[in-house]
Amino acid sequence: MTVYDIAVIGAGPAGLAAAETAAARGARVAVVDAAEHPGGQFYRHRPGDDGSRHHHWRAFTRLRDALKNVDHLAGHRVWHAEPGEPHTLHCLVGHADERPTTVRAQHLILATGAHDRSLPFPGWDLPGVLTAGGAQALWKGHGLTAGARAVVAGTGPFLLPVATGLAASGATVHGVFDANRPDRRVLPLATDPARAIEAAGYAAALLRHRIPYRTGHAVIAAHGDGRLEEVTVARLDRDWRPLPGTGRTITCDTLATGYGFTPQLELAVHLGCALTEGFDGTPVAAVDAAQATTAPRVWAAGETCGVGGATLAIVTGALAGYAATGARPPASLLRRRARQRRLAAALAAAWPVRDGWKSWLTDDTLICRCEEVPHSRVEQAIAAGARDTRGLKLLSRTGMGRCQGRVCGYAAACLVGAPERPDRPIAQPVRLGDLAAGDTAPIHPRAGADT
Amino acid sequence: MNITVDGRTVPAEEGQTIAAALHADGLRAWRTTRVGARPRGLFCGIGVCFDCLVTINGRASIRACLAPARDGDVVTTGGER
């Protein structure tokens, strides 16, 4: 069976840059990615896309072209990463025709990216309420508008491309509501030329589409009979508690909401990588100056080691590519990483999540969508002695459902007052028959040809 | 190309996921939860939340937001087992 020199997990900005760098140095590289098309969430696109909806599209086309020098194992969802010599990635391929396969490599580069961080509020599970990234994925990936009348709420600069994307897709956007009031902490970002230009572009687009942008406001409830019909928007105090008398309703069929991003760390945990606190204090994979994790022959790049955006992801991906092939990286790359990390820290400082969101909850607000656990049961579990997310799960089923606590994990951790635990030994649902079948031959033709 | 959704013909484009085809067809919810019979459809849109599950060609519990639509796919929506 083929053993690759390097398997890169994830084909977003970090993974593609890692693969490009490692392949250019002669390594035999596999890029293992869950999606059918390369690009990850950031470069999500339609087949034949001309890039007009994208930032940094030229960077992507260059990285994508480099895939011809590697085995791009698309549509491979890694459900378990087993450390060893070589490491083994247990994957599932296909959907209705799902089947198991394995990929082996001496070295791994984890570039598993991040997903939207959600905060619960009354009515957040009504159809029509989407994550900000979900609304963006419909537009970038399918050219579809998420809805006709939309509201965007949450925190952070990502809300801006989501709002302008919705408007470009034909939706009427009734407002962007950022719970934070950005202050001088945004200065490092405002003085970064690339980000300032990008922000100016969004500001112009908001003006052109007449989209109101309000800071210090949040959607604190969604309402509707079987689907979203309106949202309540309120002005917040500094701690994000709604100011009395400021609530108003907006009629809409779509709400795109996001409060930052949560890195996907399951595979890092499988491999024994130590975690540390990222720019915002939540868990990320710990890496050294060469992007090496604490696990032997495992590197990490991109959001996996701290949410910092596509440029930081590309830089750290390239650095991991150099390190995994035993090469010294150019000093310029190290300087770019230092600068991008400072910007990422500024981003986290300017757009934090404040505790007052908990005051938006009512007794019957679902915390765990999968197991339908309301806030009152979470409070009962905490009163009964739950001290961490594991105790909360055992006492209330919060985080026990199909998503394995990915959606409610951040909120649950905040409510119980303990860190989120990304320990999911099985990172993707796997059928018992496939588990029982044990080891499986690779299905990729080029890899298979060497067996 | 077309897919069949609960016996109804729904158009789908090359490269679209099942969820995108359902969304383009105007559907916003296609499953109910087992405790509260709450309607669910797309939420995360990227395979994280498992709200958008459907049965495709007899195979249950598939994330509609990840599965590419293929001509003639038979999709069954509805309850949770």
Side-chain angles (χ1 to χ4, degrees), chain A residues 80-257:
Chain A
H80 191 79
E82 187 183 339
E85 296 187 38
H87 303 298
T88 304
L89 302 175
H90 299 272
C91 308
L92 295 165
V93 181
H95 297 274
D97 55 348
E98 184 178 84
R99 59 218 181 273
T101 186
T102 54
V103 177
R104 292 194 167 82
Q106 292 295 348
H107 308 87
L108 295 178
I109 299 176
L110 302 177
T112 45
H115 58 77
D116 289 86
R117 175 191 287 162
S118 301
L119 290 180
F121 51 87
W124 73 305
D125 73 322
L126 279 170
V129 180
L130 295 166
T131 65
Q136 188 78 332
L138 278 174
W139 168 234
K140 289 205 301 193
H142 297 287
L144 293 174
T145 184
R149 299 171 60 95
V151 168
V152 179
T155 197
F158 179 57
L159 301 182
L160 300 176
V162 172
T164 56
L166 277 163
S169 74
T172 303
V173 183
H174 292 276
V176 180
F177 301 98
D178 192 317
N180 278 302
R181 294 179 178 83
D183 51 25
R184 61 190 165 78
R185 288 171 300 186
V186 306
L187 277 178
L189 293 155
T191 54
D192 175 61
R195 301 210 187 206
I197 289 166
E198 198 174 330
Y202 292 135
L206 290 179
L207 271 175
R208 191 165 66 244
H209 293 290
R210 299 171 194 277
I211 302 172
Y213 176 69
R214 301 271 179 273
T215 61
H217 284 71
V219 166
I220 59 166
H223 319 275
D225 182 10
R227 62 185 286 173
L228 180 66
E229 291 165 10
E230 59 182 36
V231 294
T232 301
V233 173
R235 195 156 165 249
L236 307 178
D237 69 13
R238 272 189 55 84
D239 193 40
W240 292 18
R241 292 174 191 282
L243 291 167
T246 63
R248 64 186 167 104
T249 58
I250 298 177
T251 302
C252 58
D253 57 30
T254 301
L255 169 65
T257 178

Side-chain angles (χ1 to χ4, degrees), chain A residues 42-123:
Chain A
F42 186 78
Y43 294 125
R44 182 185 284 275
H45 61 283
R46 306 171 72 181
D49 207 323
D50 65 359
S52 59
R53 294 165 190 166
H54 294 266
H55 284 274
H56 315 292
W57 185 252
R58 271 176 51 203
F60 170 62
T61 53
R62 183 180 57 86
L63 291 170
R64 184 183 57 188
D65 290 347
L67 279 175
K68 67 180 186 295
N69 303 319
V70 308
D71 279 353
H72 176 211
L73 306 182
H76 280 55
R77 300 186 296 281
V78 180
W79 64 266
H80 191 79
E82 187 183 339
E85 296 187 38
H87 303 298
T88 304
L89 302 175
H90 299 272
C91 308
L92 295 165
V93 181
H95 297 274
D97 55 348
E98 184 178 84
R99 59 218 181 273
T101 186
T102 54
V103 177
R104 292 194 167 82
Q106 292 295 348
H107 308 87
L108 295 178
I109 299 176
L110 302 177
T112 45
H115 58 77
D116 289 86
R117 175 191 287 162
S118 301
L119 290 180
F121 51 87

Side-chain angles (χ1 to χ4, degrees), chain A residues 8 32 35-36 66 102 120 122 151 175 184 190 199 219 266 297 320 327 331 380 410 442:
Chain A
V8 179
V32 181
E36 307 295 326
T102 54
V151 168
R184 61 190 165 78
V219 166
E266 293 82 12
R297 292 166 291 110
Q380 285 162 18
Y410 178 76

